Short mmCIF file of all heavy atoms in Angstrom, two decimals:
data_model
loop_
_atom_site.label_atom_id
_atom_site.label_comp_id
_atom_site.label_asym_id
_atom_site.label_seq_id
_atom_site.Cartn_x
_atom_site.Cartn_y
_atom_site.Cartn_z
N LEU A 17 -18.21 13.39 65.22
CA LEU A 17 -17.77 13.86 63.90
C LEU A 17 -17.95 15.35 63.79
O LEU A 17 -17.14 16.09 63.26
CB LEU A 17 -18.46 13.07 62.78
CG LEU A 17 -17.91 13.43 61.33
CD1 LEU A 17 -16.43 12.98 61.20
CD2 LEU A 17 -18.75 12.65 60.31
N ILE A 21 -15.10 18.05 63.02
CA ILE A 21 -15.14 18.95 61.86
C ILE A 21 -15.16 20.37 62.29
O ILE A 21 -14.55 21.21 61.75
CB ILE A 21 -16.29 18.48 61.03
CG1 ILE A 21 -16.16 17.18 60.43
CG2 ILE A 21 -16.55 19.50 59.89
CD1 ILE A 21 -15.02 16.96 59.48
N GLU A 33 -17.01 23.76 53.29
CA GLU A 33 -17.47 23.53 51.92
C GLU A 33 -17.00 22.13 51.42
O GLU A 33 -17.74 21.41 50.71
CB GLU A 33 -16.94 24.61 50.93
CG GLU A 33 -17.63 25.89 51.03
CD GLU A 33 -17.17 26.76 52.20
OE1 GLU A 33 -16.02 26.46 52.74
OE2 GLU A 33 -17.86 27.71 52.62
N SER A 46 -21.72 4.63 50.81
CA SER A 46 -22.22 3.77 51.86
C SER A 46 -23.52 3.12 51.39
O SER A 46 -24.30 3.64 50.63
CB SER A 46 -22.64 4.63 53.07
OG SER A 46 -21.49 5.33 53.67
N VAL A 48 -26.59 2.73 51.63
CA VAL A 48 -27.78 3.23 52.37
C VAL A 48 -29.02 2.92 51.42
O VAL A 48 -30.06 2.36 51.88
CB VAL A 48 -27.76 4.74 52.64
CG1 VAL A 48 -29.07 5.30 53.17
CG2 VAL A 48 -26.60 5.03 53.60
N TYR A 50 -28.93 1.14 48.52
CA TYR A 50 -28.70 -0.14 47.71
C TYR A 50 -28.10 -1.13 48.67
O TYR A 50 -27.48 -0.86 49.70
CB TYR A 50 -27.75 0.16 46.59
CG TYR A 50 -26.42 0.66 46.94
CD1 TYR A 50 -25.34 -0.27 47.21
CD2 TYR A 50 -26.09 1.99 47.03
CE1 TYR A 50 -24.11 0.14 47.58
CE2 TYR A 50 -24.82 2.49 47.34
CZ TYR A 50 -23.88 1.58 47.66
OH TYR A 50 -22.58 1.99 48.02
N ALA A 64 -17.34 -1.18 51.67
CA ALA A 64 -18.38 -1.38 52.69
C ALA A 64 -17.72 -1.70 54.03
O ALA A 64 -18.03 -0.99 55.06
CB ALA A 64 -19.26 -2.50 52.33
N PRO A 68 -17.16 3.20 58.31
CA PRO A 68 -17.83 3.08 59.67
C PRO A 68 -19.29 3.12 59.52
O PRO A 68 -20.02 2.53 60.38
CB PRO A 68 -17.23 4.21 60.51
CG PRO A 68 -16.66 5.17 59.52
CD PRO A 68 -16.28 4.37 58.25
N LEU A 85 -32.87 -9.53 65.10
CA LEU A 85 -32.11 -8.63 65.98
C LEU A 85 -30.64 -8.90 65.63
O LEU A 85 -30.22 -10.01 65.30
CB LEU A 85 -32.30 -9.00 67.38
CG LEU A 85 -33.71 -8.54 68.04
CD1 LEU A 85 -33.77 -8.99 69.40
CD2 LEU A 85 -33.76 -7.08 67.87
N THR A 89 -21.88 -9.17 68.34
CA THR A 89 -20.69 -8.55 67.70
C THR A 89 -21.00 -7.34 66.89
O THR A 89 -20.28 -6.41 66.86
CB THR A 89 -19.98 -9.63 66.88
OG1 THR A 89 -20.79 -10.11 65.87
CG2 THR A 89 -19.42 -10.75 67.68
N PHE A 99 -19.28 5.50 69.89
CA PHE A 99 -18.78 6.11 71.05
C PHE A 99 -17.23 6.45 70.92
O PHE A 99 -16.72 7.33 71.60
CB PHE A 99 -19.01 5.30 72.38
CG PHE A 99 -20.55 5.35 72.66
CD1 PHE A 99 -21.29 4.17 72.63
CD2 PHE A 99 -21.18 6.50 72.99
CE1 PHE A 99 -22.64 4.18 72.93
CE2 PHE A 99 -22.49 6.56 73.27
CZ PHE A 99 -23.23 5.34 73.25
N TRP A 106 -14.75 14.69 71.08
CA TRP A 106 -14.82 15.42 72.31
C TRP A 106 -13.50 15.83 72.88
O TRP A 106 -13.17 16.90 73.38
CB TRP A 106 -15.56 14.63 73.37
CG TRP A 106 -15.96 15.36 74.69
CD1 TRP A 106 -15.14 16.11 75.34
CD2 TRP A 106 -17.19 15.37 75.31
NE1 TRP A 106 -15.81 16.62 76.47
CE2 TRP A 106 -17.05 16.19 76.46
CE3 TRP A 106 -18.40 14.71 75.00
CZ2 TRP A 106 -18.17 16.37 77.32
CZ3 TRP A 106 -19.44 15.01 75.90
CH2 TRP A 106 -19.30 15.73 77.00
N PHE A 109 -11.87 18.47 70.66
CA PHE A 109 -12.62 19.77 70.71
C PHE A 109 -12.37 20.45 72.11
O PHE A 109 -12.18 21.62 72.19
CB PHE A 109 -14.22 19.51 70.65
CG PHE A 109 -15.00 20.73 70.70
CD1 PHE A 109 -15.23 21.49 69.55
CD2 PHE A 109 -15.56 21.23 71.91
CE1 PHE A 109 -16.02 22.67 69.63
CE2 PHE A 109 -16.34 22.35 71.98
CZ PHE A 109 -16.57 23.04 70.81
#
Side-chain angles (χ1 to χ4, degrees):
L17 187 62
I21 295 296
E33 286 82 16
S46 300
V48 175
Y50 59 88
L85 287 176
T89 58
F99 291 116
W106 189 313
F109 184 85

